[in-house]
Amino acid sequence: MVLASVNTPRSTATDQLAEPMASQPSTQDVMLAAVPNLRAFAMSLSGNADRADDLVQETVMRAMANINSFTPGTNMAAWLFTILRNLFRSQYRKRRREVEDPDGGYLAGLKASPEQFGRLEFKELIGALAKLPDVQREALLLVAASGFSYDEAAAICEVAVGTIKSRVSRARQLLAELLVIGSPEKFALDRATA
């Protein structure tokens, strides 16, 4: 009987402390064990296997980069699921604002001409209009800019229709010369200036 008790190993306090630590899985093991469940969750959120794999990969990478913010002793899987959910929501919000344009047609339609030239031309036009005689500028602005007919402009200015037509014609000719356009027929606002 004495022999049986001698052969039994005696546990010390150091051995008892080491046993729970040895039985606890490492952080890496816990992360790897959570991957299948993370992927299933990502699949349920995204509905796409490729996106789900990307989400899981990004989740694990973020978790590893921010492992110091993980509180030991808490649920690692829950922390990983929170990272994945937040990542999915961020990507979803970003993707909602994006427009699919595989052939580039939508992007081509969004191109805008530079504003600098339109603004410069507009400044030149304002300067040239200021150089016109008052009666010609008034007639031109009523007919060309405000959209009144010759008859309406004549009634506003209290002159004959022929006088308004003459003033508008002379104003266009002088404006074309001041802006170095060449002829009044070429005088028109481009889309940006209009």
Side-chain angles (χ1 to χ4, degrees), residues 114-126 190 192-193:
E115 294 181 14
Q116 300 91 337
F117 299 117
R119 289 182 188 214
L120 288 174
E121 289 174 348
F122 189 69
K123 266 179 121 173
E124 290 174 1
L125 174 64
I126 296 298
D190 63 357
T193 307

Side-chain angles (χ1 to χ4, degrees), residues 83-94:
I83 293 171
L84 188 136
R85 188 194 79 227
N86 291 342
L87 180 64
F88 173 76
R89 286 185 176 176
S90 296
Q91 289 178 355
Y92 178 77
R93 281 191 298 270
K94 181 180 176 185

Side-chain angles (χ1 to χ4, degrees), residues 67-187:
I67 195 68
N68 56 349
S69 66
F70 175 71
T71 307
T74 60
N75 189 344
M76 170 74 80
W79 185 62
L80 292 170
F81 273 78
T82 302
I83 293 171
L84 188 136
R85 188 194 79 227
N86 291 342
L87 180 64
F88 173 76
R89 286 185 176 176
S90 296
Q91 289 178 355
Y92 178 77
R93 281 191 298 270
K94 181 180 176 185
R95 223 177 259 119
R96 238 183 29 205
R97 293 186 297 264
E98 293 176 352
V99 175
E100 260 188 63
D101 189 21
D103 59 353
Y106 184 74
L107 179 63
L110 290 178
K111 291 180 183 173
S113 57
E115 294 181 14
Q116 300 91 337
F117 299 117
R119 289 182 188 214
L120 288 174
E121 289 174 348
F122 189 69
K123 266 179 121 173
E124 290 174 1
L125 174 64
I126 296 298
L129 281 172
K131 294 177 183 175
L132 292 176
D134 292 341
V135 291
Q136 289 180 5
R137 182 175 53 247
E138 178 184 50
L140 182 65
L141 290 175
L142 285 172
V143 173
S146 299
F148 290 108
S149 69
Y150 286 112
D151 293 330
E152 293 168 332
I156 292 170
C157 294
E158 298 176 350
V159 295
V161 175
T163 305
I164 287 293
K165 288 182 180 182
S166 175
R167 287 178 183 174
V168 169
S169 176
R170 279 188 252 130
R172 285 184 176 157
Q173 184 64 43
L174 185 55
L175 199 56
E177 290 171 12
L178 290 170
L179 294 173
V180 193
I181 293 176
S183 73
E185 290 79 32
K186 293 183 182 177
F187 179 69

Side-chain angles (χ1 to χ4, degrees), residues 27-49:
T27 304
Q28 182 181 4
D29 292 338
V30 174
M31 277 190 189
L32 288 175
V35 167
N37 292 333
L38 285 171
R39 188 171 189 282
F41 183 57
M43 279 291 294
S44 69
L45 290 175
S46 68
N48 181 317

